[in-house]
Amino acid sequence: MIVKDVALVLEGGGFRGLYGAAPLDYFVEKGIEFPYIIGVSMGACNAANYISKQPGRSLNIPYSFINDERYMSYKRLFTKGELFGMDFIYNEIPNRVIPWDFEEVKKSTKKFIIVTTNCETGEPFYIDDFNKYNILDSIKASTSLPVISKIVDLNGVKLLDGGVTDSIPFKKAFSDGYKKVVIILTQPKGYQKKASSIIKIAKLFYRKYPKLVEAIQKRHEHYNQTIQEIETLEKEGRAFVIRPETVLPLKRIERDREKLKTVFDIGYNQIDKYISELMDFLK
């Protein structure tokens, strides 16, 4: 099914994003193709595998490497300033270890937008020109969490995690002309984000980027307001929201590989349960 005039919006959330990866695998398997996909952080990673039509890849990578020091290491955080091995994740894995299908991506007609945060302006920085900005580096920037990741310099623009400034970017889809959206969240209904626990250390880390610090400090307010707006869109019939029915049984940064699979399975079983309602919305 080729979807018309409906955008797909993907939240991040660290390893909770594996819940959101499952519906995308389901869509690939069922031939459900959205014309426009916008993703944040882990949502951008999931979108990349949806566009390349590689179901299973979003789960396979962390499941295979979660306890591999090349993938994630607290020692690296203290010695190199990053918890995740970004070169391993965004260079070695897609090019050699678990290859990403670059040819499928090149021939895709889908519009793909990656959400990052501009450290200097404290505003969202949306990337869709992959001739100007390397696509893997753009995803790396979107997933570079404050404090535990290095700032990514992309053609002179200093970037970090898109979730800091636009965690659920449905407004960007609307501004690009779409009137209806399918939104995949990674928190259950009623969730309210609390103020950041890293604000003190962020002020120290990012002394040169006061607008970034301000964005981190206000992130929870922006997020909670966005959730309220999404609930209004649901009532108006302008949004179909896929979200966990309960709190997912894992942490944002998880070392138990079986919990990763459990969360993925929750997402897969849930989309199978609600697919008829989704199809009615798409039609």
Side-chain angles (χ1 to χ4, degrees):
M1 174 185 179
I2 306 299
V3 177
K4 296 182 179 180
D5 304 323
V6 181
L8 182 60
V9 180
L10 308 174
E11 184 183 18
F15 288 127
R16 291 195 311 272
L18 289 171
Y19 167 89
L24 300 187
D25 281 12
Y26 188 97
F27 295 159
V28 173
E29 292 162 2
K30 302 297 182 182
I32 301 172
E33 299 195 27
F34 286 83
Y36 178 108
I37 306 99
I38 183 166
V40 182
S41 196
M42 183 65 171
C45 293
N46 294 339
N49 294 321
Y50 170 68
I51 292 169
S52 69
K53 298 182 179 180
Q54 292 176 279
R57 191 172 183 275
S58 293
L59 174 62
N60 188 19
I61 292 171
Y63 190 85
S64 300
F65 298 107
I66 194 65
N67 292 307
D68 188 320
E69 289 190 354
R70 294 174 298 172
Y71 184 87
M72 185 169 73
S73 167
Y74 286 100
K75 179 180 178 181
R76 180 188 299 103
L77 177 61
F78 292 108
T79 59
K80 297 185 178 180
E82 59 176 22
L83 177 62
F84 293 92
M86 297 305 240
D87 183 65
F88 179 66
I89 295 171
Y90 294 106
N91 181 12
E92 291 188 46
I93 289 178
N95 286 298
R96 290 180 288 278
V97 183
I98 303 178
W100 192 42
D101 193 338
F102 289 91
E103 290 305 314
E104 182 64 38
V105 174
K106 285 180 182 179
K107 70 182 184 182
S108 175
T109 59
K110 298 178 179 69
K111 180 77 168 179
F112 179 29
I113 298 180
I114 298 168
V115 185
T116 67
T117 292
N118 186 317
C119 297
E120 295 178 324
T121 66
E123 296 291 335
F125 188 80
Y126 304 103
I127 302 173
D128 63 355
D129 183 350
F130 302 119
N131 292 315
K132 182 175 181 181
Y133 300 102
N134 179 276
I135 190 168
L136 290 176
D137 287 342
S138 299
I139 298 172
K140 177 170 73 173
S142 185
T143 59
S144 291
L145 304 176
V147 177
I148 63 171
S149 303
K150 295 178 181 179
I151 290 175
V152 176
D153 187 322
L154 202 58
N155 290 14
V157 186
K158 305 293 193 298
L159 303 172
L160 276 176
D161 172 29
V164 172
T165 49
D166 198 0
S167 296
I168 313 167
F170 71 88
K171 290 181 181 177
K172 173 62 175 170
F174 285 161
S175 70
D176 285 344
Y178 288 84
K179 293 180 169 52
K180 294 175 68 176
V181 290
V182 171
I183 302 174
I184 301 181
L185 302 179
T186 57
Q187 294 283 12
K189 194 165 188 176
Y191 171 77
Q192 291 284 289
K193 187 176 288 295
K194 297 178 181 178
S196 175
S197 60
I198 66 164
I199 190 60
K200 289 183 179 179
I201 193 169
K203 288 179 178 179
L204 178 64
F205 266 58
Y206 304 120
R207 295 186 300 274
K208 297 180 180 179
Y209 305 102
K211 292 183 179 179
L212 172 63
V213 173
E214 183 180 356
I216 294 171
Q217 196 160 17
K218 293 182 177 180
R219 180 182 181 183
H220 67 293
E221 297 175 4
H222 180 266
Y223 183 93
N224 295 337
Q225 177 62 36
T226 299
I227 289 294
Q228 289 182 11
E229 293 170 352
I230 288 172
E231 291 179 359
T232 299
L233 292 173
E234 284 185 277
K235 293 175 183 176
E236 295 173 349
R238 297 179 63 196
F240 187 97
V241 181
I242 300 166
R243 55 164 72 85
E245 295 174 339
T246 59
V247 175
L248 296 171
L250 88 174
K251 295 172 288 188
R252 182 181 178 88
I253 297 174
E254 182 61 65
R255 301 304 296 263
D256 187 335
R257 65 205 300 259
E258 293 309 320
K259 287 185 178 180
L260 305 181
K261 179 65 164 55
T262 295
V263 166
F264 179 89
D265 289 344
I266 290 171
Y268 196 93
N269 292 334
Q270 190 175 331
I271 190 61
D272 189 54
K273 180 179 176 182
Y274 292 110
I275 189 62
S276 61
E277 293 179 36
L278 173 60
M279 296 304 286
D280 289 339
F281 177 82
L282 296 177
K283 293 176 182 177

